Amino acid sequence: MSATNTPVGAAPAAPAYPAQVTGMDILVRALKMVGIDTMYGLVGIPVTELAYIAQGRGIRFVGFRHEQQAGMAAATHGYLTHTPGVLLTVSSLGFLNGLTATANATVNCYPMIQISGSSVREPIDLLQGTYEGLDQLNIAKPLVKAAYRVNKPEDIPTAVVRAYRAAISGRPGGVYLDVTTPCLGAIMDSAEADKLFYEPIDICPAMPPSPEAVKRAVSLIASARRPALIIGKGAAYARVEDLLKDFVDRTGIPYLPMSMAKGVLPDNGPLSALSCRSTVMEQADVVILAGARLNWLLSRGHGKWSPDTKFVQLDIDPEEIDINRPIAAPVVGDLVSSLDAILAALPEKTAIDPTWVPGLQAQTKEKNAKFIARLTANASAQPMNHWTALGAIKPVMAANPDVILVNEGANTLDDTRDTIDMILPRHRIDCATWAIMGMGMGSAVGAAVATGKSVVAIEGDSAFGFSGMDFSTVCRFKLPVTVVIFNNGGIYNGIGVNMAGTSDPAPTTLDVHARYDKLGDAFGAKTYYVTTPSALVAALTEAIASKAPALIDVQLGADSGKESGHIGYLNPAALENITV
């Protein structure tokens, strides 16, 4: 025997090396450390292995056909769960595709983290033409709430926690996390990597308002003669529906929800002023903005608003105050704390004019009757228009109130918003503040994955065209999503005219004869092509009940819908060359 106890002639024992991990392992573990259980994205160099590792460690990876849709899914996931949705993209153009959704999440206050692999720094900084050599961090910075770059695996857990805090605390938003290729591939001893992880404390702290602000707001609310409550999607995100119900019940103040706040309080509730928007704007003397911004969606406080209207604004961001109109009573803090404080200080009686609410209720009854008449008028006419189709959809959705509605388009968006009542919070997802088209399939996937609930996406044919290929994602993951496409053959409608007189289609013309149901067939979904309201009712009822991927192609007339903006004069009245 030798001095080392190795038998004569035997090979020496292999040296014992410590277990090792890569930056990708550390990144996945850091995401799990903060509670991330789902990731949306599209893989490729340099993040493919990262997605495999995440999936292997119990993070669900939902792969898409396009990064923008994966990002819309992540943003919707964040909005619905109060946990940042995570988007994984490759570098360069993949990063840019995803950045559209991250910027949109920032504007709309959805918590989201975009993680992109990026190329080696030195040749990017020297502009030496490296593979996908884009300075991603500096491109993202002006478009997102926060942006960080990680160059060393030792910094990954800290970066993930900072990204999480930035995405979810204060006013939520999109955060960009740039992880370089050397960092992803770097190797650390496992024991040393273990020392990097920790449990973040108070990751989303409450931000209560000042007592002075609450006192000022309560005084103004109590003295109002014709008050109104505007509910924004910030209230839906903050989950303050019970507090708002208490506020409305105690004060008797009528409410008007913004689009994605429909259902925070029932659209058809006795104090809903949803049908009286113009009257509220013209006559209200005090308006409480709860998680709603006085931006273009509310005419920036101008337009039909009375110049004498005073505003109480509840918002978590002090920079939001006074952006368009002077705010008489700003209450800066998180909505839960602010509403709790206001409710605690409310007097037993207010000064509401006794004719104010009955007047709005009478107007609501009259307008709703006219609206129902519009939905049922010409119900047997062929082809259908938006209103007859929505008249068929309305009772089906009412019978399935827990179905989440995703909605986009031009006329399809506007008319669906006006037609379909919501009675539950966070059950309507649309294109929101920027009115961005192309969020439909991503948001439908994100809503279904995040909640496990059934989803109906009502899409204009133009809007569906932005994201339609990701209906395949709905089918691959066997999600309970029904996509309803209103095909009127164009952007706004299918009767655009080529002003040059050539055979090219007009800028707004698509194809009124397109058969979108065939796309559903290609991916194995249950499909329907419907031309009558009764067929639409049957198809939608069956599709929702199936809890499986389904696509309903709804044939409208080419003349259904109207153009927005100031270009209507381009279209002649004659439609004789357009047939369905």
Side-chain angles (χ1 to χ4, degrees):
M1 299 288 290
S2 67
T4 59
N5 295 323
T6 301
V8 177
Y17 293 109
Q20 295 179 319
V21 293
T22 67
M24 286 180 275
D25 293 295
I26 295 170
L27 178 53
V28 170
R29 186 171 168 186
L31 291 170
K32 289 182 68 68
M33 177 182 76
V34 295
I36 299 300
D37 60 10
T38 305
M39 182 185 295
Y40 303 87
L42 199 161
V43 299
I45 297 172
V47 298
T48 304
E49 186 178 348
L50 173 62
Y52 273 107
I53 294 170
Q55 192 177 57
R57 298 282 176 81
I59 294 178
R60 188 180 189 187
F61 184 82
V62 183
F64 278 73
R65 296 296 189 97
H66 195 282
E67 293 90 351
Q68 180 176 308
Q69 292 312 303
M72 295 298 179
T76 300
H77 186 111
Y79 171 72
L80 292 175
T81 66
H82 248 213
T83 300
V86 174
L87 166 66
L88 179 67
T89 74
V90 300
S91 50
S92 189
L93 293 182
F95 149 78
L96 287 174
N97 287 341
L99 188 61
T100 299
T102 312
N104 188 57
T106 303
V107 169
N108 282 289
C109 310
Y110 306 146
M112 173 183 167
I113 301 171
Q114 178 179 349
I115 301 173
S116 294
S118 65
S119 294
V120 179
R121 291 302 317 155
E122 291 82 0
I124 291 178
D125 293 339
L126 281 173
L127 301 178
Q128 292 178 317
T130 190
Y131 173 75
E132 296 191 343
L134 191 67
D135 192 353
Q136 296 168 195
L137 181 71
N138 285 316
I139 289 173
K141 275 183 178 179
L143 299 175
V144 299
K145 183 180 178 185
Y148 309 103
R149 175 178 291 134
V150 194
N151 294 297
K152 300 184 300 180
E154 294 88 344
D155 293 333
I156 290 174
T158 297
V160 168
V161 171
R162 291 189 68 189
Y164 192 108
R165 285 188 185 276
I168 202 169
S169 61
R171 171 169 282 182
V175 176
Y176 175 61
L177 196 58
D178 187 274
V179 189
T180 64
T181 297
C183 179
L184 291 169
I187 295 174
M188 284 189 69
D189 288 350
S190 182
E192 291 301 310
D194 287 344
K195 300 175 184 178
L196 302 174
F197 299 97
Y198 61 98
E199 182 179 350
I201 305 301
D202 202 10
I203 203 162
C204 186
M207 298 177 64
S210 71
E212 294 82 2
V214 172
K215 182 178 179 180
R216 184 188 307 115
V218 168
S219 176
L220 187 56
I221 293 168
S223 66
R225 299 286 290 162
R226 298 180 304 281
L229 169 67
I230 307 291
I231 306 173
K233 69 176 180 293
Y237 172 78
R239 299 172 181 257
V240 293
E241 51 268 19
D242 291 341
L243 293 172
L244 288 174
K245 182 179 184 302
D246 191 7
F247 177 82
V248 168
D249 288 345
R250 287 173 56 182
T251 62
I253 293 176
Y255 59 87
L256 196 162
M258 302 301 290
S259 181
M260 280 182 57
K262 284 165 62 70
V264 170
L265 297 180
D267 285 355
N268 56 4
L271 289 173
S272 173
L274 190 59
S275 301
C276 306
R277 179 185 175 106
S278 294
T279 301
V280 167
M281 294 175 75
E282 293 168 354
Q283 298 183 20
D285 61 346
V286 173
V287 171
I288 303 105
L289 300 165
R293 292 180 284 193
L294 206 57
N295 59 15
W296 70 275
L297 292 165
L298 288 171
S299 302
R300 294 187 297 112
H302 306 295
K304 292 184 178 181
W305 288 102
S306 166
D308 298 323
T309 301
K310 294 181 179 179
F311 292 94
V312 177
Q313 185 167 10
L314 282 59
D315 203 284
I316 200 166
D317 186 359
E319 293 185 7
E320 190 64 34
I321 307 303
D322 295 334
I323 63 169
N324 278 304
R325 281 276 295 264
I327 302 300
V331 182
V332 177
D334 69 90
L335 277 179
V336 172
S337 298
S338 297
L339 285 168
D340 273 338
I342 288 172
L343 285 166
L346 275 177
E348 291 187 7
K349 294 184 178 180
T350 59
I352 297 179
D353 181 338
T355 67
W356 174 236
V357 171
L360 293 176
Q361 291 172 331
Q363 188 178 132
T364 294
K365 184 177 180 179
E366 179 184 353
K367 288 190 173 183
N368 286 354
K370 291 180 179 179
F371 191 78
I372 293 299
R374 174 190 286 181
L375 291 177
T376 55
N378 304 315
S380 60
Q382 292 295 309
M384 290 186 287
N385 61 29
H386 288 79
W387 297 115
T388 50
L390 287 167
I393 289 173
K394 183 178 176 69
V396 181
M397 294 298 291
N400 294 276
D402 201 32
V403 169
I404 294 175
L405 173 64
V406 172
N407 185 207
E408 64 172 333
N411 295 275
T412 304
L413 171 72
D414 296 338
D415 297 345
T416 302
R417 181 186 60 238
D418 292 342
T419 302
I420 307 300
D421 286 335
M422 311 302 296
I423 62 171
L424 295 174
R426 295 170 296 281
H427 277 62
R428 178 183 169 84
I429 312 294
D430 62 32
C431 45
T433 300
W434 267 355
I436 185 172
M437 292 296 104
M439 44 68 67
M441 294 305 95
S443 289
V445 170
V449 170
T451 67
K453 295 183 177 184
S454 294
V455 176
V456 169
I458 301 180
E459 304 267 312
D461 55 332
S462 172
F464 179 74
F466 286 87
S467 64
M469 187 55 72
D470 264 306
F471 182 67
S472 67
T473 303
V474 171
C475 297
R476 277 185 295 121
F477 285 85
K478 299 179 173 60
L479 299 175
V481 173
T482 298
V483 177
V484 181
I485 303 169
F486 282 7
N487 182 18
N488 65 350
I491 303 170
Y492 311 123
N493 57 46
I495 58 173
V497 174
N498 181 328
M499 302 301 287
T502 66
S503 61
D504 287 346
T508 54
T509 300
L510 299 174
D511 185 358
V512 76
H513 301 292
R515 289 291 300 271
Y516 294 102
D517 56 312
K518 302 299 183 183
L519 180 64
D521 289 339
F523 297 121
K526 179 67 175 176
T527 60
Y528 309 82
Y529 175 73
V530 300
T531 60
T532 65
S534 59
L536 177 52
V537 168
L540 184 57
T541 301
E542 181 177 284
I544 292 173
S546 75
K547 295 187 180 297
L551 189 151
I552 304 174
D553 186 348
V554 182
Q555 185 65 71
L556 304 184
D559 59 339
S560 179
K562 60 183 180 181
E563 291 178 341
S564 62
H566 304 284
I567 57 175
Y569 68 91
L570 294 177
N571 285 337
L575 306 176
E576 60 269 16
N577 295 324
I578 305 292
T579 59
V580 174

